[in-house]
Amino acid sequence: MEPIRKHTGLVYPLNRSNIDTDQIIPKQFLKRISRQGFGQFLFFNWRFDSEGTPKKEFSLNDPKYKDASILVAGENFGCGSSREHAPWALQDFGFKVIIASSFADIFYNNCTKNGIVPIQLTEEETQVLIDRSESDSYTISIDLEQKTVNGSDDFHASFEIPEYQREMLLNGWDEIAVTLTHKSKIDQFEAELQQSRGE
Amino acid sequence: MNKPKTIVEKIWDQHVVHQEQDKPDLLYIDLHLVHEVTSPQAFEGLRLKSRGVRRPDRTFATMDHNVPTIHRHIIKDQVSKTQMDTLKQNCDEFNIPLADIDHPDQGIVHVIGPELGLTQPGKTIVCGDSHTSTHGAFGALAFGIGTSEVEHVLATQTLWQARPKTLNVKVNGQLGKGVTAKDLILAIIAKYGVRFGTGYVLEYTGEAIQSLSMEARMTICNMSIEAGARAGLISPDETTIEFIKGKRHAPKGSDFEKAAKDWKALATDQGATYDATVEINADEVEPQVTWGTNPGMCIPVSASIPSPDQANSANAKDEISRALEYMGLEAGQPISSVKIDHVFIGSCTNSRLSDLQRAAEIVRGKKVNPSVTAIVVPGSHSVKVSAEKEGLDVIFKQAGFEWRDAGCSMCLAMNDDVVPPGERCASTSNRNFEGRQGTGARTHLVSPEMAAAAAIEGHFVDVRKLTQPTPS
Ligand code: SF4
C-alpha cells in the first residue's frame, strides 16, 4: 500500500446521506477476481442510463469534476455490504480522500487498508465544502500528520482518526507483516486453547 | 466479587492475543467463513507474498452469492463461473473445506454455519460479508470484514480490533400473534434509524428476545448491520444449547455438558453496564413494510407512506423525495394499496425451515395472484430437503410459487434471479437499496408471512387479517 501523508486536490461534492456500497459499486461488477479496474463501474447506476450512456444530470459526469480526487458526502457514507470493491472502485477512479460527516464502520476500515484517507468532519464543515465545491471549482489540502483540512480560502478544519490507522496510512505498512512479528504470541495463544478446550 | 461484565467483554477478554497502549487489540479468530465473491483477491494476495493459510481447519467455505437456483449447472455468466471455479481452486490449494455447488452442505454461508454446529457461543466469527452478525444469535461475537481483512485472517487467524462500545437493545413485553422477529427488527431500525448502531456491538435483551426461537434470533441479529452495527448478539440460554445439541460440529457427550456450562456463563452479568441503551415495546409492534430505499424507511402495514414535508431537515426532505421517486410511490398513499409484481421468500434473514413453514401455512390451499411471480429459495440444501420431507414444496408449488435450489438469489441478484427495472418486489431479504434486486428494481422488505400474504392478494395486506383455513 502506498504511504500517504499530504494530499491537495479538487473536491467533488455528492450531497447525499446514507450512500451505500451497492450504489458505490453495484453487485453485477463484483465478479472479477482481481483488485484492479473497478473505477469504470463506480456509481454505475447513477452515472449511466440503461443504454450505458452517461446521465447528464449526475454531477460526476460534469467535466469540471474530471480531475477531482477528494469526495465529500453526507452522513453514513459506505453503509451496507462489506465489499472492499467499493474503496477499490473509488481509488481506481482517482479518489484519494473521502470526507463525510460520518462513515459506516466496515467501509471506514476498508479505506484505511487501501491507502484512502477517510476524514470525518462535522455536518456544518462538510456542508461548507459541498456548497463551495458545487458553485466553483474548489481545491483543498489535507494533512494526515497534522490531522487538518485546509481550503484554498478561509476554510480550516481538524479531524480525528484512530492512531493505529493513521500510522498505517502514513507508512503504507503491510499489516500482515506487522502482525507476523507477533507470531510467537499467536502460537502461544493457540497452544493454550488446545490445552483448555482441546481445539 | 468481580466487576459484572457484558457478554461482549467476556468474549473479548478470552480472545486477546496481544495488547499495546494506543493500539487496537490483536484478537484471535475462532472461525472464518469464506464465500466466492469477497475472497479471490485475498487468496491472490497470499500467493503474491508466498504466505499460507494458518488454520485451514478453522476456515470453512461455500458458494452462495452467484449460484444458479434453477438449472443448477448451466452457469451462463462466464465471469460468475470463473469466480466459483476460483474458489474451488483456492480451497484445493490451501486445503480449506468447501461446500461447493453439489455438496449436501451447500447453502447461504450464514444459514449453514449454525446448521452444521460450526457457530457456537463465545466464538469469534468473521466472514467477508456484512451479515455475519447473524451468528451473534448464538452469543458469538460475529462480524463482517473486508477482503484485506479476509487475507489477514487467512494468514494469521487474528485481526487488529479496537474494543467495541456496547449498546443494549432492550425489547420489553411480547410480540403479538402474527408479528415476527422480522417485524421487530424492522421496527427497531425504523424507530432509531440506520446508524444508531455505528461503532457499537448490539446486545438484544428483554423478555421478547428470550422467548424467541433460535431461527427468529438469527433474523434479528442478521439485520444489526442495517442499524450500522458490525455485530449484534444475544446471550446464550437453554434455547441456544438445545439448538446446538447434536449438530455435526458440536461437542459430544461430556464435552458437550462442559461446553454448555461455559456457554451459559458467558451471558451478561446482572448489573453489567452498557455504553448506551435503546428500548422498544414488543406489544406495540405491527407487521412492517419498508416503503423506501433503506431499511429505516419502514412503516406498519396499517400506515400511509410519509411525505417529504414531514422531514425535519432539508437533507432528510431530499432523501424522502428521492426515495419516493425511485420507488414510484406517492406520499400519503396507504402502503396496503401498493400492488406488487414479485415475491421473494429467501435470503440469510428469512430462508430457514421455520420461515418456510410459516409462509406455507399462509399459502396453503390458495393461489398466487395472477399478476405476481413468486419464488421460494431455501437458505441451504439441507433446509430444502427438510422442507420437502414435510411437503412444503408441494404446498408452495400448488399455490403457484416456484421452488428453487439454495443460494442468495434475488437478495442481491448476482445470478439470474433479477427483478426487472421498475417492477416491485415484496422480499424477505434485508436490503431495499436502489438497484439491490436489479437495476431499477423496487424492493419492499417484509416478513415471510407478509410476503406470502402479498403473493396471494397481489398487494400488501395485514397478514393478521387473513383467515387461515384449518389444517385438514
Ligand atoms: S442472502 Fe443476501 S444478505 Fe445474505 S449473504 Fe447472501 S447476498 Fe448477503
Side-chain angles (χ1 to χ4, degrees):
Chain A
M1 170 171 117
E2 292 287 310
I4 179 163
R5 305 182 97 76
K6 292 185 174 143
H7 176 75
T8 299
L10 191 67
V11 175
Y12 166 61
L14 188 51
N15 194 10
R16 298 183 185 191
S17 305
N18 302 316
I19 295 174
D20 58 76
T21 52
D22 276 271
Q23 304 322 313
I24 298 173
I25 179 157
K27 75 267 160 160
Q28 61 268 36
F29 308 116
L30 305 182
K31 296 178 183 176
R32 308 179 144 221
I33 54 172
S34 78
R35 286 179 192 239
Q36 280 78 43
F38 286 103
Q40 53 187 310
F41 310 125
L42 181 71
F43 297 122
F44 193 86
N45 293 342
W46 287 347
R47 272 166 64 207
F48 302 101
D49 64 16
S50 52
E51 315 282 277
T53 319
K55 290 185 196 171
K56 272 218 180 64
E57 66 277 16
F58 187 61
S59 55
L60 192 54
N61 290 327
D62 187 333
K64 84 172 177 191
Y65 297 122
K66 196 169 77 49
D67 297 319
S69 59
I70 301 176
L71 187 146
V72 183
E75 59 189 355
N76 203 25
F77 189 84
C79 59
S81 151
S82 62
R83 57 188 73 157
E84 202 161 310
H85 311 69
W88 295 337
L90 286 159
Q91 188 166 49
D92 191 47
F93 196 84
F95 290 110
K96 294 191 158 57
V97 176
I98 316 284
I99 300 177
S101 54
S102 64
F103 288 91
D105 292 339
I106 303 178
F107 177 83
Y108 187 94
N109 222 357
N110 284 342
C111 283
T112 63
K113 310 272 176 190
N114 288 282
I116 299 179
V117 187
I119 297 179
Q120 182 169 1
L121 295 182
T122 65
E123 244 168 76
E124 292 73 37
E125 288 163 344
T126 44
Q127 201 55 55
V128 171
L129 292 178
I130 286 172
D131 293 344
R132 292 186 187 177
S133 52
E134 272 180 348
S135 52
D136 246 318
S137 117
Y138 189 56
T139 300
I140 61 174
S141 303
I142 69 112
D143 184 329
L144 191 55
E145 272 172 335
Q146 304 298 321
K147 297 188 271 188
T148 55
V149 179
N150 292 303
S152 41
D153 49 14
D154 61 351
F155 183 89
H156 303 289
S158 58
F159 64 93
E160 289 304 319
I161 175 168
E163 197 44 37
Y164 173 75
Q165 282 159 322
R166 190 174 79 109
E167 268 189 38
M168 279 286 161
L169 286 165
L170 285 172
N171 298 293
W173 277 329
D174 168 3
E175 195 181 29
I176 296 177
V178 175
T179 308
L180 290 174
T181 64
H182 300 287
K183 185 173 171 298
S184 62
K185 282 207 143 177
I186 306 173
D187 293 342
Q188 190 191 334
F189 186 93
E190 285 187 339
E192 283 164 19
L193 207 60
Q194 173 71 32
Q195 259 197 345
S196 65
R197 287 198 260 157
E199 284 179 22
Chain B
M1 211 191 108
N2 292 337
K3 182 181 163 288
K5 284 187 188 176
T6 63
I7 179 172
V8 175
E9 293 172 285
K10 293 185 201 183
I11 299 176
W12 198 272
D13 293 342
Q14 289 177 5
H15 287 85
V16 175
V17 173
H18 174 78
Q19 232 164 1
E20 248 174 86
Q21 191 103 50
D22 294 329
K23 264 192 147 186
D25 294 341
L26 188 62
L27 202 69
Y28 193 73
I29 302 302
D30 292 316
L31 174 64
H32 184 192
L33 301 168
V34 172
H35 66 79
E36 76 275 25
V37 179
T38 54
S39 65
Q41 295 86 353
F43 285 111
E44 191 53 32
L46 291 181
R47 268 191 292 268
L48 284 174
K49 299 249 161 132
S50 310
R51 287 172 176 149
V53 173
R54 184 179 172 96
R55 293 295 299 264
D57 59 324
R58 288 183 177 275
T59 314
F60 188 89
T62 193
M63 297 176 181
D64 52 5
H65 284 66
N66 271 316
V67 299
T69 58
I70 193 170
H71 309 309
R72 207 55 165 171
H73 292 100
I74 312 174
I75 304 165
K76 282 184 242 136
D77 184 344
Q78 270 313 310
V79 206
S80 282
K81 183 155 185 337
T82 306
Q83 204 164 55
M84 288 157 60
D85 293 345
T86 305
L87 180 65
K88 173 123 184 47
Q89 284 156 15
N90 285 329
C91 289
D92 285 348
E93 179 179 343
F94 293 99
N95 244 327
I96 294 169
L98 166 70
D100 71 5
I101 189 161
D102 293 319
H103 199 283
D105 293 339
Q106 182 269 341
I108 304 173
V109 65
H110 311 309
V111 175
I112 63 174
E115 215 167 64
L116 296 171
L118 290 165
T119 304
Q120 292 170 16
K123 279 194 178 181
T124 46
I125 303 177
V126 298
C127 173
D129 190 283
S130 61
H131 292 100
T132 308
S133 59
T134 314
H135 307 263
F138 291 79
L141 183 64
F143 51 91
I145 56 179
T147 299
S148 297
E149 290 174 309
V150 169
E151 184 179 337
H152 192 276
V153 178
L154 288 171
T156 70
Q157 205 59 35
T158 62
L159 274 179
W160 295 96
Q161 291 288 305
R163 192 175 269 269
K165 292 183 288 176
T166 54
L167 192 153
N168 180 9
V169 181
K170 195 158 178 290
V171 187
N172 304 313
Q174 293 292 350
L175 290 172
K177 205 166 174 292
V179 185
T180 68
K182 180 65 162 289
D183 301 305
L184 174 59
I185 187 66
L186 283 172
I188 292 171
I189 299 169
K191 183 168 178 186
Y192 292 103
V194 290
R195 12 175 209 284
F196 81 90
T198 306
Y200 292 98
V201 171
L202 310 184
E203 181 180 347
Y204 301 92
T205 67
E207 299 151 57
I209 299 295
Q210 283 157 14
S211 30
L212 293 177
S213 70
M214 285 317 295
E215 302 204 336
R217 292 180 191 186
M218 286 187 246
T219 301
I220 302 269
C221 290
N222 175 272
M223 291 191 69
S224 303
I225 182 69
E226 308 325 324
R230 282 179 81 177
L233 45 56
I234 294 171
S235 284
D237 58 13
E238 284 304 328
T239 309
T240 322
I241 289 162
E242 264 317 298
F243 184 98
I244 300 172
K245 201 174 192 165
K247 295 274 184 295
R248 193 186 313 160
H249 291 273
K252 301 278 157 14
S254 62
D255 286 347
F256 184 80
E257 301 309 320
K258 183 178 169 295
K261 212 169 129 238
D262 293 346
W263 293 340
K264 273 200 258 178
L266 288 168
T268 292
D269 298 327
Q270 200 120 59
T273 52
Y274 298 88
D275 297 294
T277 298
V278 301
E279 286 192 56
I280 191 163
N281 288 328
D283 311 84
E284 290 163 16
V285 175
E286 283 183 50
Q288 306 282 313
V289 184
T290 65
W291 58 267
T293 50
N294 73 48
M297 293 174 160
C298 179
I299 49 176
V301 61
S302 61
S304 297
I305 292 161
S307 147
D309 301 333
Q310 287 164 250
N312 47 17
S313 72
N315 277 341
K317 197 173 174 157
D318 271 4
E319 218 181 349
I320 298 181
S321 308
R322 235 191 347 261
L324 289 177
E325 192 191 323
Y326 181 85
M327 294 297 291
L329 296 170
E330 298 288 330
Q333 185 182 357
I335 190 82
S336 58
S337 71
V338 175
K339 290 204 169 60
I340 55 159
D341 311 297
H342 296 263
V343 166
F344 169 59
I345 298 182
S347 91
C348 58
T349 315
N350 279 128
S351 64
R352 298 180 181 82
L353 186 61
S354 61
D355 296 312
L356 306 190
Q357 286 166 335
R358 297 192 324 270
E361 266 325 296
I362 306 288
V363 307
R364 187 195 288 273
K366 304 210 171 95
K367 285 276 178 242
V368 169
N369 193 285
S371 62
V372 176
T373 311
I375 67 171
V376 184
V377 184
S380 69
H381 183 69
S382 153
V383 168
K384 182 170 188 248
V385 170
S386 309
E388 287 173 355
K389 268 195 197 131
E390 292 182 16
L392 301 186
D393 57 326
V394 177
I395 299 177
F396 281 118
K397 283 192 275 195
Q398 279 178 351
F401 278 83
E402 290 177 44
W403 178 253
R404 298 287 187 88
D405 286 319
C408 293
S409 178
M410 210 177 261
C411 171
L412 92 164
M414 259 183 101
N415 65 358
D416 291 338
D417 308 338
V418 179
V419 177
E423 296 194 12
R424 198 176 292 288
C425 182
S427 176
T428 66
S429 55
N430 44 49
R431 286 190 174 136
N432 50 346
F433 296 153
E434 283 182 30
R436 173 81 179 179
Q437 295 190 294
T439 308
R442 295 161 170 165
T443 303
H444 297 268
L445 304 176
V446 287
S447 72
E449 288 89 328
M450 287 287 287
I456 306 297
E457 301 294 319
H459 58 89
F460 294 107
V461 43
D462 188 337
V463 65
R464 297 172 301 180
K465 290 187 187 147
L466 280 195
T467 44
Q468 293 173 29
T470 36
S472 48

Coordinates of all heavy atoms in Angstrom, one line a residue, chain B residues 65 108 110 129 131 347-348 408 411-412 430 436, ligand 1:
Chain B
H65 N -23.4 -16.7 -3.3 CA -23.8 -15.5 -3.9 C -24.2 -15.6 -5.4 O -25.1 -15.0 -5.9 CB -22.8 -14.4 -3.7 CG -22.7 -13.8 -2.3 ND1 -22.4 -14.6 -1.2 CD2 -23.1 -12.6 -1.8 CE1 -22.5 -13.8 -0.1 NE2 -22.9 -12.6 -0.5
I108 N -26.5 -20.7 1.9 CA -26.0 -19.4 2.3 C -25.1 -19.5 3.5 O -25.5 -20.2 4.5 CB -27.2 -18.4 2.6 CG1 -28.2 -18.4 1.4 CG2 -26.7 -17.0 2.9 CD1 -29.4 -17.6 1.7
H110 N -24.5 -17.9 6.1 CA -25.0 -17.6 7.4 C -26.1 -18.6 7.8 O -26.6 -18.5 8.9 CB -25.5 -16.2 7.5 CG -24.5 -15.2 7.0 ND1 -23.1 -15.2 7.5 CD2 -24.5 -14.2 6.1 CE1 -22.5 -14.3 6.8 NE2 -23.3 -13.7 6.0
D129 N -18.4 -10.6 4.7 CA -19.9 -10.4 4.4 C -20.5 -9.7 5.6 O -20.3 -10.2 6.7 CB -20.5 -11.8 4.1 CG -21.9 -11.6 3.6 OD1 -22.8 -11.2 4.4 OD2 -22.1 -11.7 2.4
H131 N -23.4 -9.5 6.8 CA -24.5 -10.2 7.5 C -23.9 -11.3 8.4 O -24.7 -12.1 9.0 CB -25.6 -10.6 6.6 CG -26.3 -9.5 6.1 ND1 -26.1 -9.0 4.8 CD2 -27.2 -8.6 6.6 CE1 -26.9 -7.9 4.6 NE2 -27.6 -7.7 5.7
S347 N -33.1 -15.6 1.4 CA -32.0 -14.8 2.0 C -31.6 -15.3 3.4 O -32.4 -15.9 4.1 CB -32.3 -13.3 2.0 OG -32.9 -13.0 3.2
C348 N -30.5 -14.8 3.8 CA -29.9 -15.2 5.1 C -30.8 -14.7 6.3 O -30.6 -15.0 7.4 CB -28.5 -14.8 5.3 SG -28.2 -13.1 5.1
C408 N -28.1 -17.3 -2.5 CA -28.5 -15.9 -2.2 C -29.6 -15.3 -3.1 O -30.4 -14.5 -2.7 CB -27.3 -15.0 -2.2 SG -26.1 -15.3 -0.9
C411 N -31.9 -11.9 -3.4 CA -31.5 -11.0 -2.3 C -30.5 -9.9 -2.9 O -30.6 -8.7 -2.5 CB -30.8 -11.7 -1.2 SG -30.1 -10.6 0.0
L412 N -29.6 -10.3 -3.7 CA -28.8 -9.3 -4.4 C -28.6 -9.5 -5.9 O -27.9 -8.8 -6.5 CB -27.4 -9.3 -3.7 CG -26.2 -10.1 -4.3 CD1 -24.9 -9.6 -3.7 CD2 -26.4 -11.6 -4.0
N430 N -33.0 -8.4 3.4 CA -32.6 -7.4 4.4 C -32.2 -6.0 3.8 O -32.0 -5.1 4.6 CB -31.4 -7.9 5.2 CG -30.4 -8.6 4.3 OD1 -30.0 -8.0 3.3 ND2 -30.0 -9.8 4.6
R436 N -30.7 -3.0 -5.7 CA -30.2 -4.2 -5.0 C -30.7 -5.5 -5.7 O -30.0 -6.4 -5.9 CB -30.7 -4.1 -3.5 CG -30.5 -5.4 -2.7 CD -29.0 -5.4 -2.2 NE -28.8 -6.6 -1.4 CZ -27.7 -6.9 -0.8 NH1 -26.6 -6.1 -1.0 NH2 -27.5 -8.0 -0.2
Ligands
SF4_1 S1 -28.6 -13.8 1.3 FE1 -28.2 -11.7 0.7 S2 -27.6 -10.6 2.5 FE2 -27.4 -12.8 2.9 S3 -25.3 -13.3 2.4 FE3 -26.5 -13.7 0.6 S4 -26.4 -11.8 -0.5 FE4 -25.7 -11.3 1.5

